[in-house]
Amino acid sequence: MAVSVVLIALGLTVVFSMVLIYQIWGQRSTAGLSASLIAFLMVAVIWWTIFYGLEIVSSTEGFKQFCFRAKFLAIVFIPVFWMLFGLQYTGRLQWMTARRIALLCIFPGVTTLLIWTNELHGLMWTYLGVGDIGGISLVTSITSTWFWVHSAYSYVLIMTASYFLFRQFAGSPGLYRRQLVALLVSVIAPMIANAVTIFGNQPIDYTPFAFAVTGLALTWGLLRFQLLELVPIARNLVVDSMTDGVIVLDAQGRIVDLNPAANQIISGITPDAIGKRLIHVIAMMDAQLDLTRWSATTGEIQDELVIGEGANQRTLDVKLSSLYDSHHKLSGRVVLFRDITDRKLAEQQIRHQNEALVTANHQLVEARKQAEHATQLKSQFLATMSHELRTPLNAVIGYSEIQLMGIAGELSGKQREYQDRILANALHLLGLINDILDLSRIEAGRMDLLLTPFNLQTWLDEIVLQNRVLAEEKQLVIEASIDPRLPEVIVADSERLKQVVINLLSNAVKFTQEGSVKIAVTRNDVDTLKIDVQDTGIGIPIHAQETIFEEFRQVDGSSHRQYGGTGLGLAIVRKLVVMMGGHIRLKSEVGKGSTFTIVLPLKAEISKTTTPEAMVQLETETL
């Protein structure tokens, strides 16, 4: 009966441990090494428990002693696993090097060797035998020197790890303190049971039974308080890894602790700052701070601290906060240093850039005023000069035409050739002057549109007729068409619209060597009409299409270009189209030709049956 009760109790320990291992193993991805160490710890517990159970149920003395020795493989390494867990869980990762772990395992390794060679030296036990205790057959022993050395070493590891956990969790929020309770219960229960067994000289080892409490406590902490999932980060791991400097002062203003970032800042002033008063250290930095206020404050102070000179000069943002105990008595202060040198340099650079922008904006405003004034003077000058130039040119043209008509007498063949050249060049020059005058009038806002009804077909025929001679000289065909959906009579400034289309059509003829030139007037939608001027000429490169409508812009701007022109024609075209409330776009490909498309509002559509009186009324309304 006694054996059955013991085996049931040991079985519960094994079951609880296996359940815990299963739960922990599923958290390896989040808990990391901590979960693995607890799992190894519980595997060792299961090993200890199973061999203790085999020791009890075995009927032969030799196998009992084998199980007795075998369970020590777990006993000697359980403290090591607990120590490693304590270091990992509290963030003391710098202690967990391969060399230090190997040193921790030296004692367990030596103990294991002595256990299996005890007959040669008797350092673990002076006697091993089998006895009947309360109906249970167990191995009895008399401990020797190394057994107590091993026990002391094991207790030191367990208590040290427990101290680390207690120190880490004691001042933490409530959830972490409850995690601490679960961890301490899991280790205190087997420690008490083991102490009772060893120091009470008990023949029955109560430790494996207490491990059931360990399994329950860890499972409780795992499921209830998220043990191994929410792990508090150690102070050293947080503070020491901060890029901001942290200095801890006592109530008298002496430095009692500082992190590596602060030590790096202060080490250039004094190699060993611990124990020195902070105001003395700051004074050694030649900083412009109110040291009296820093020494007497009981609240918070924030200042800027400049240290170093030249290229090594750094600017620090320094904040001092006071710490109070439970009785609201000043117990110390914390000083935070943050290097803001780069931020200050950036702020200074931005400030200089802003000042430069303000100056540049002011200069731009002045330049704009000057440009507007210069533009106004230019427009006035161009208008005046155009008028002055047109007067003598009209005389030249008039007298040339009189002579060509023979009114002043018959001309010889050579004289007629010369007069033709004079007239052609005078007309060309007059066209340039008219372009300049138109451009200046548009820019000055002195060009008005004269909206009148006109017959669309007649208007288009006049345009084609004006360009037919030049096209026939180059053996080109001009194809003109009007959309039948358009009314016969529309309202617009026919002369300005003719100027636009003639400019485009003459350009198309000029830049086309073979093929055809097409002009199509179509209805774009209900409210707009579209005029397409298409040629099969040389085309316009993509880079030039973006600037082709700018003043004085030409595709070929060299002095030896093949085609003449001032670069004002398309600029005037665009300005006139915009004045009419429309827009112009270009589609062109080098070697395949160009298409200029104008979209304009379709105003006051007139039907075929409109009477002359209605047309007069419409003209009056549009004016």
Side-chain angles (χ1 to χ4, degrees):
M1 181 64 180
V3 173
S4 300
V5 173
V6 170
L7 292 178
I8 290 173
L10 294 176
L12 290 175
T13 297
V14 173
V15 170
F16 291 153
S17 300
M18 293 181 68
V19 171
L20 181 60
I21 291 173
Y22 175 78
Q23 294 288 338
I24 290 174
W25 205 248
Q27 298 184 8
R28 296 191 320 280
S29 59
T30 55
L33 184 58
S34 297
S36 299
L37 289 171
I38 288 292
F40 292 151
L41 180 66
M42 299 315 298
V43 168
V45 167
I46 293 174
W47 178 285
W48 184 347
T49 305
I50 289 176
F51 276 99
Y52 189 54
L54 291 175
E55 176 189 343
I56 293 173
V57 301
S58 175
S59 58
T60 61
E61 180 177 349
F63 189 69
K64 282 183 179 291
Q65 290 198 12
F66 172 80
C67 294
F68 178 78
R69 296 172 191 267
K71 70 183 181 182
F72 271 90
L73 288 175
I75 293 173
V76 297
F77 282 101
I78 284 177
V80 175
F81 289 143
W82 182 252
M83 182 65 181
L84 294 177
F85 171 76
L87 295 175
Q88 167 71 21
Y89 205 65
T90 57
R92 292 173 170 82
L93 304 180
Q94 70 275 14
W95 292 11
M96 296 183 63
T97 62
R99 181 172 177 273
R100 290 177 177 176
I101 293 175
L103 289 175
L104 286 176
C105 295
I106 290 177
F107 261 94
V110 172
T111 302
T112 301
L113 179 63
L114 295 179
I115 287 172
W116 294 98
T117 60
N118 185 70
E119 286 75 8
L120 300 177
H121 45 73
L123 291 176
M124 283 294 294
W125 303 283
T126 57
Y127 167 77
L128 281 178
V130 176
D132 190 0
I133 302 160
I136 303 175
S137 179
L138 293 170
V139 175
T140 59
S141 63
I142 299 176
T143 56
S144 187
T145 306
W146 191 261
F147 178 87
W148 296 108
V149 172
H150 148 71
S151 299
Y153 178 74
S154 298
Y155 276 99
V156 167
L157 291 185
I158 293 173
M159 294 183 69
T160 301
S162 301
Y163 169 74
F164 288 156
L165 292 169
F166 181 80
R167 181 180 176 182
Q168 178 69 28
F169 284 87
S172 300
L175 178 63
Y176 296 130
R177 289 199 298 273
R178 288 187 283 274
Q179 290 182 3
L180 172 64
V181 171
L183 289 170
L184 293 183
V185 168
S186 68
V187 70
I188 288 174
M191 281 185 63
I192 293 175
N194 188 258
V196 170
T197 300
I198 294 175
F199 299 107
N201 197 23
Q202 298 293 322
I204 298 179
D205 188 356
Y206 296 108
T207 311
F209 305 100
F211 279 132
V213 178
T214 298
L216 285 173
L218 291 178
T219 303
W220 175 59
L222 189 71
L223 300 178
R224 182 67 178 83
F225 304 124
Q226 297 176 279
L227 185 65
L228 303 182
E229 291 186 10
L230 295 178
V231 182
I233 301 175
R235 170 267 177 200
N236 293 339
L237 186 63
V238 175
V239 177
D240 291 350
S241 62
M242 290 176 62
T243 56
D244 294 346
V246 180
I247 298 179
V248 181
L249 310 177
D250 61 12
Q252 287 73 41
R254 294 172 297 197
I255 298 175
V256 296
D257 193 12
L258 69 166
N259 70 344
N263 186 59
Q264 184 178 4
I265 295 172
I266 294 180
S267 60
I269 308 300
T270 174
D272 187 10
I274 301 295
K276 292 184 171 59
R277 292 177 62 84
L278 179 63
I279 58 174
H280 294 160
V281 175
I282 292 178
M284 295 171 66
M285 295 179 180
D286 294 327
Q288 301 298 320
L289 290 176
D290 188 350
L291 299 179
T292 303
R293 185 165 66 99
W294 271 66
S295 178
T297 185
T298 57
E300 290 188 355
I301 294 180
Q302 189 163 0
D303 276 311
E304 287 186 2
L305 178 65
V306 180
I307 60 175
E309 296 180 353
N312 296 323
Q313 188 177 82
R314 310 298 294 172
T315 303
L316 306 177
D317 180 62
V318 187
K319 182 178 180 180
L320 179 141
S321 301
S322 301
L323 303 175
Y324 297 91
D325 58 19
S326 58
H327 301 290
H328 303 287
K329 183 179 179 181
L330 182 68
S331 59
R333 297 178 176 89
V334 175
V335 182
L336 298 178
F337 291 86
R338 173 169 294 180
D339 192 331
I340 58 172
T341 304
D342 293 339
R343 191 187 78 188
K344 297 294 288 186
L345 291 175
E347 290 176 353
Q348 184 179 8
Q349 184 178 5
I350 292 173
R351 185 167 57 253
H352 290 163
Q353 290 176 346
N354 288 338
E355 293 174 355
L357 285 174
V358 170
T359 303
N361 287 336
H362 179 71
Q363 293 174 347
L364 286 173
V365 170
E366 293 298 322
R368 181 179 178 181
K369 291 180 179 179
Q370 295 176 6
E372 290 175 349
H373 182 63
T375 300
Q376 184 179 6
L377 292 177
K378 180 200 71 172
S379 299
Q380 294 175 355
F381 171 77
L382 290 176
T384 303
M385 289 301 299
S386 298
H387 176 72
E388 296 296 327
L389 289 172
R390 288 173 69 179
T391 299
L393 270 177
N394 285 329
V396 171
I397 293 170
Y399 283 114
S400 296
E401 289 177 341
I402 289 173
Q403 289 186 354
L404 287 171
M405 292 171 62
I407 298 176
E410 291 296 327
L411 299 176
S412 66
K414 202 67 173 178
Q415 290 173 337
R416 181 171 293 278
E417 179 184 353
Y418 290 158
Q419 288 296 331
D420 284 334
R421 290 185 181 181
I422 292 173
L423 180 60
N425 283 279
L427 290 173
H428 177 68
L429 183 57
L430 181 61
L432 297 180
I433 293 173
N434 287 335
D435 285 346
I436 294 174
L437 180 60
D438 286 344
L439 184 64
S440 62
R441 289 174 62 191
I442 293 172
E443 289 182 348
R446 295 202 298 266
M447 177 175 284
D448 297 322
L449 296 177
L450 182 61
L451 303 180
T452 58
F454 63 93
N455 185 280
L456 192 58
Q457 185 65 57
T458 303
W459 171 83
L460 183 58
D461 292 341
E462 291 175 355
I463 293 174
V464 173
L465 181 62
Q466 191 168 342
N467 288 271
R468 179 169 293 169
V469 174
L470 181 59
E472 290 176 349
E473 289 178 356
K474 302 180 71 173
Q475 296 182 348
L476 299 176
V477 177
I478 298 180
E479 300 177 8
S481 62
I482 296 178
D483 190 343
R485 295 176 300 170
L486 286 172
E488 291 184 2
V489 178
I490 66 171
V491 176
D493 190 327
S494 61
E495 291 303 318
R496 293 302 174 190
L497 185 56
K498 181 185 294 186
Q499 181 181 353
V500 168
V501 177
I502 287 176
N503 199 308
L504 295 177
L505 194 60
S506 62
N507 278 347
V509 172
K510 180 170 65 174
F511 292 105
T512 302
Q513 299 303 323
E514 59 182 11
S516 63
V517 175
K518 299 178 181 179
I519 176 172
V521 184
T522 59
R523 188 157 197 159
N524 187 52
D525 54 33
V526 176
D527 299 318
T528 59
L529 63 85
K530 182 173 66 172
I531 303 174
D532 290 312
V533 178
Q534 182 181 3
D535 63 63
T536 58
I538 60 176
I540 301 172
I542 294 178
H543 70 274
Q545 294 179 22
E546 299 178 358
T547 59
I548 195 69
F549 292 105
E550 295 181 7
E551 299 168 13
F552 305 104
R553 289 280 190 173
Q554 292 179 312
V555 176
D556 182 7
S558 61
S559 59
H560 55 276
R561 62 185 184 271
Q562 181 179 357
Y563 303 98
T566 60
L568 291 176
L570 291 179
I572 294 174
V573 164
R574 184 179 66 84
K575 290 180 181 294
L576 288 174
V577 169
V578 172
M579 284 183 62
M580 295 176 187
H583 63 269
I584 183 171
R585 62 177 181 268
L586 166 65
K587 182 180 180 181
S588 182
E589 186 175 351
V590 175
K592 294 186 178 181
S594 305
T595 300
F596 288 86
T597 300
I598 301 171
V599 177
L600 294 170
L602 182 58
K603 293 181 180 292
E605 180 174 330
I606 306 298
S607 67
K608 296 181 180 180
T609 59
T610 303
T611 62
E613 292 77 10
M615 292 182 64
V616 172
Q617 178 65 28
L618 176 61
E619 181 178 355
T620 304
E621 292 176 355
T622 55
L623 289 175

